[in-house]
Amino acid sequence: MKNVKEEIVKKAQSEYLLSIITVVLNNKELIEPTIKSVLPHLNDSIQYIVIDGVSTDGTLDVIGRYKDRINQFVSEPDQGIYDAINKGIDKSLGFYFFVLNCGDRILKMPTAELIQARSKNIDVVMFDVQLSNQTIFKSEVNFGLKLHNTIHHQGAFYRKGLNIKYDLKYKVFADFDINQKLYLQRKSFIKFSQTMSYHSLEGISQQKKY
C-alpha cells in the first residue's frame, strides 16, 4: 500500500509545473483581487494553495466563492505569515513554488520561462515586479545581496526540491534570509526581464515598526 501511495505522490509532482501559495488573515478587501488574478492562469500544470489564519472579518466568505478552483485550502491558527507560507510549501506539489501575498496580483504567467528553467534544473527563477508606487523592482543576484534583499519575493520562483523553510524568528524579511543562504550555497539563479506581478507597498514588510 505504501508503494502505491508513493507512486501517486510522484505522479502528482510530475504533473505540476508550479504551486502558487497565498496566505491571508482578516483581509477581505484584498484577498479577492489576488485570487481573481490567479484564476485565469490555472490549468492542470498549476496548483493553487490558500492558507488562512482563521479570519473573522468575512475573508472566509470571499474565499468560499472560489473554493472549487482552489486545489488546497486550509484555515487554522498559525504563528505568523512565514509559518503559514511553510504550511503552503508543505502542501505544494509543483516543481517550483511561488508566494503571492494577499493584495498582490499576477500580471503575466511565465509558463514558457518556467519550463525552460525546469529543463535546466534551475533553483531560483526571477522576474521583475511592478510596485504600487509605479516603479519596477528589477531583481538581481550579486554582491549586494549580502547587504540588502535584491530579489523580490513576488518575483521569485523557488525549486521545491530545495526544501526551503522560512525561519519563524523573523517577523519580516525571512525571504531575505532564504535568498542569502541560497546565494552562499551557490544555488543556480536565472533572471528573465519581464514584469510578471504587482506588489502592494501597504504590506507588513513596509511598516516602519517592523
Side-chain angles (χ1 to χ4, degrees):
M1 180 66 70
K2 182 179 179 181
N3 290 336
V4 173
K5 184 176 180 181
E6 288 177 351
E7 287 302 316
I8 292 173
V9 172
K10 287 180 180 178
K11 185 175 187 296
Q13 289 175 327
S14 68
E15 290 175 348
Y16 286 117
L17 170 66
L18 173 66
S19 296
I20 301 172
I21 302 167
T22 295
V23 302
V24 60
L25 174 63
N26 292 331
N27 205 331
K28 64 180 181 180
E29 290 81 13
L30 295 182
I31 187 60
E32 189 164 36
T34 298
I35 292 175
K36 290 176 73 172
S37 79
V38 174
L39 296 184
H41 306 288
L42 293 182
N43 53 48
D44 291 340
S45 68
I46 299 177
Q47 176 193 27
Y48 192 30
I49 302 166
V50 176
I51 308 294
D52 173 78
V54 190
S55 294
T56 57
D57 69 334
T59 294
L60 293 177
D61 294 330
V62 175
I63 296 173
R65 301 172 196 161
Y66 305 99
K67 281 184 67 175
D68 61 330
R69 302 289 307 280
I70 297 171
N71 301 95
Q72 292 280 343
F73 171 67
V74 173
S75 182
E76 64 184 23
D78 56 54
Q79 300 177 54
I81 187 171
Y82 292 114
D83 184 32
I85 292 174
N86 284 340
K87 291 180 181 182
I89 295 173
D90 288 341
K91 294 184 177 298
S92 65
L93 297 174
F95 189 87
Y96 292 105
F97 74 84
F98 169 62
V99 179
L100 184 71
N101 287 337
C102 179
D104 299 333
R105 304 192 301 271
I106 290 177
L107 301 178
K108 182 181 187 301
M109 180 57 66
T111 302
E113 290 81 0
L114 292 177
I115 291 174
Q116 177 184 336
R118 181 179 62 180
S119 71
K120 300 178 181 178
N121 209 37
I122 298 295
D123 295 312
V124 184
V125 188
M126 303 179 297
F127 297 87
D128 295 336
V129 177
Q130 179 184 326
L131 306 182
S132 58
N133 64 2
Q134 303 306 312
T135 62
I136 301 295
F137 188 108
K138 296 183 177 295
S139 293
E140 56 186 3
V141 175
N142 53 38
F143 182 82
L145 186 57
K146 293 184 176 182
L147 303 175
H148 59 95
N149 200 5
T150 61
I151 303 172
H152 202 294
H153 207 209
Q154 271 58 69
F157 295 72
Y158 297 92
R159 185 169 63 81
K160 174 66 185 294
L162 293 172
N163 297 315
I164 287 174
K165 288 292 182 184
Y166 290 88
D167 193 332
L168 302 190
K169 72 182 180 183
Y170 297 107
K171 295 296 183 183
V172 295
F173 299 132
D175 52 312
F176 183 19
D177 173 61
I178 289 294
N179 291 336
Q180 286 188 321
K181 288 175 179 175
L182 296 177
Y183 177 71
L184 293 174
Q185 293 166 7
R186 299 184 182 278
K187 299 300 182 182
S188 56
F189 295 78
I190 189 171
K191 165 67 185 297
F192 291 96
S193 296
Q194 71 178 54
T195 303
M196 59 76 49
S197 66
Y198 166 91
H199 172 61
S200 170
L201 294 174
E202 298 178 1
I204 186 173
S205 65
Q206 305 299 323
Q207 297 175 21
K208 290 183 179 180
K209 68 178 180 179
Y210 291 103

